[in-house]
Amino acid sequence: MSINWFPGHMTKTRREIKESLKLVDLVIEIRDARIVKSSANPEIESICKDKPRIILLNKSDLSEQSITKAWINNLTNENIRVLQINSLNGEGLKDIKPMIEDLLREKIDRWKAKGLKNFVIRGMVVGIPNVGKSSFINKMAKNNIAKTGDRPGVTKSKQWIKTKLGIELLDTPGILWPKFEDEEVALNLAFTGAIKDEIMNTEDLALKLVERLQKDYGDRIKERYKIDDLDEEPINNLDLIAKKRGAIASGGSIDYNRVSIMLLDEFRGGKLGKISLEKP
């Protein structure tokens, strides 16, 4: 499967993030709760280094809760706090300020010791495309300042956003990394829409998704598409899904493009249930 997608503006974004670190007190990294490892940009890890960081596991309503909690325990340390959120309905956002204050306790105490009262905490929001950064910022600001969209790369330039919590957020464009060393990571990003569908073969991607789901979530496929028994071969299961949904072309052949788009849309929309593609 050929994946060639690294746009030039991401090189500029990487440089801007590095330059902006000195302007902020902490980094707020947003990941997809369904693919916590794959949605963690290694560039962010190296750029941010020892900067205090909060990792927000967004879209947690689409992931398995037990696995999400295991990720929280796995990633939390002295310099990093982890919180599961849903940036669309605001679930978990009320816990962000107390978590930030705990993470920055020493710095805040120094500010207070100097007599500073109305100080503003500044955080830089980072994450890969289509992980929900703009929706998070809009919810925090309670208005649609940041542009949102279900297509990767909607946010093009950095901007400061004020919130009512005494926190200012620096929005940055989504950044991916130049090369995928692991095909599984690339597939996970493609499954969840972090990589633009236009550069992928949708039919191949849907087939890979069936292959992945039938291993750990076969019951979800059977329940959603009213299938009695799954075959060992993913292509046969994709055929079964197509027949159940009427994705049949003229002459009775399978309309693979139609069934592939439908399957990916339903997975991304959570219609197959809560699914986590990675475990810690």
Side-chain angles (χ1 to χ4, degrees):
M1 181 176 291
S2 176
I3 302 174
N4 179 20
W5 57 271
F6 191 69
H9 76 267
M10 288 190 181
T11 302
K12 178 184 177 183
T13 298
R14 183 171 47 191
R15 185 176 65 250
E16 288 180 351
I17 289 176
K18 194 170 184 177
E19 292 172 351
S20 299
L21 269 182
K22 60 182 178 290
L23 304 176
V24 300
D25 303 300
L26 79 157
V27 172
I28 300 173
E29 180 188 1
I30 301 184
R31 301 188 192 180
D32 189 319
R34 297 167 296 178
I35 53 167
V36 176
K37 181 171 179 278
S38 294
S39 60
N41 187 338
E43 296 271 334
I44 298 299
E45 192 77 37
S46 62
I47 291 171
C48 295
K49 295 181 180 178
D50 297 328
K51 201 79 173 181
R53 184 163 29 130
I54 285 182
I55 298 175
L56 301 179
L57 304 183
N58 193 28
K59 306 184 182 182
S60 60
D61 57 311
L62 302 177
S63 66
E64 279 199 71
Q65 287 300 296
S66 60
I67 296 177
T68 300
K69 289 179 180 178
W71 275 113
I72 292 173
N73 293 332
N74 179 270
L75 295 171
T76 299
N77 62 37
E78 185 178 348
N79 205 46
I80 296 175
R81 301 290 187 274
V82 189
L83 180 67
Q84 67 179 58
I85 67 166
N86 179 348
S87 62
L88 292 180
N89 64 17
E91 184 178 349
L93 298 190
K94 62 180 175 56
D95 299 318
I96 290 177
K97 186 178 182 181
M99 186 172 281
I100 289 176
E101 291 175 340
D102 176 61
L103 184 61
L104 300 178
R105 178 54 53 201
E106 291 185 9
K107 177 177 276 194
I108 292 173
D109 287 344
R110 288 198 300 270
W111 287 341
K112 290 181 178 179
K114 293 178 180 178
L116 296 175
K117 294 182 179 179
N118 298 320
F119 54 82
V120 175
I121 296 171
R122 289 181 170 172
M124 179 167 57
V125 183
V126 300
I128 66 171
N130 205 35
V131 80
K133 289 192 304 90
S134 296
S135 297
F136 161 72
I137 288 173
N138 289 339
K139 211 66 175 179
M140 291 289 285
K142 295 189 176 178
N143 54 43
N144 292 326
I145 295 174
K147 296 177 181 179
T148 60
D150 59 3
R151 289 169 55 83
V154 171
T155 305
K156 297 298 184 186
S157 60
K158 65 181 179 180
Q159 53 182 326
W160 286 99
I161 293 95
K162 293 182 178 180
T163 72
K164 297 179 181 179
L165 301 176
I167 301 169
E168 285 189 3
L169 301 175
L170 176 60
D171 190 18
T172 59
I175 176 175
L176 280 164
W177 49 106
K179 183 180 179 182
F180 294 123
E181 302 293 345
D182 187 340
E183 185 185 88
E184 185 173 331
V185 170
L187 287 172
N188 285 340
L189 293 169
F191 292 150
T192 55
I195 299 174
K196 293 181 180 180
D197 286 336
E198 294 94 300
I199 64 169
M200 304 293 296
N201 183 311
T202 303
E203 296 172 19
D204 285 346
L205 187 61
L207 185 59
K208 288 285 188 180
L209 179 59
V210 171
E211 183 179 358
R212 183 77 64 83
L213 293 179
Q214 71 183 47
K215 291 180 181 178
D216 297 320
Y217 295 98
D219 289 344
R220 306 284 179 83
I221 296 177
K222 290 193 287 187
E223 181 181 353
R224 177 67 184 172
Y225 302 110
K226 305 296 187 294
I227 296 172
D228 295 329
D229 294 300
L230 293 178
D231 194 88
E232 291 183 3
E233 294 296 326
I235 186 63
N236 293 336
N237 292 325
L238 188 60
D239 288 353
L240 288 172
I241 294 171
K243 291 173 182 176
K244 288 290 184 177
R245 285 303 177 87
I248 307 298
S250 58
S253 60
I254 300 295
D255 188 336
Y256 285 110
N257 182 61
R258 182 179 166 192
V259 69
S260 298
I261 292 172
M262 180 274 299
L263 177 64
L264 289 167
D265 284 347
E266 294 201 350
F267 167 74
R268 292 168 182 171
K271 293 182 179 178
L272 276 76
K274 297 179 182 294
I275 291 174
S276 294
L277 294 178
E278 295 177 320
K279 298 178 182 179

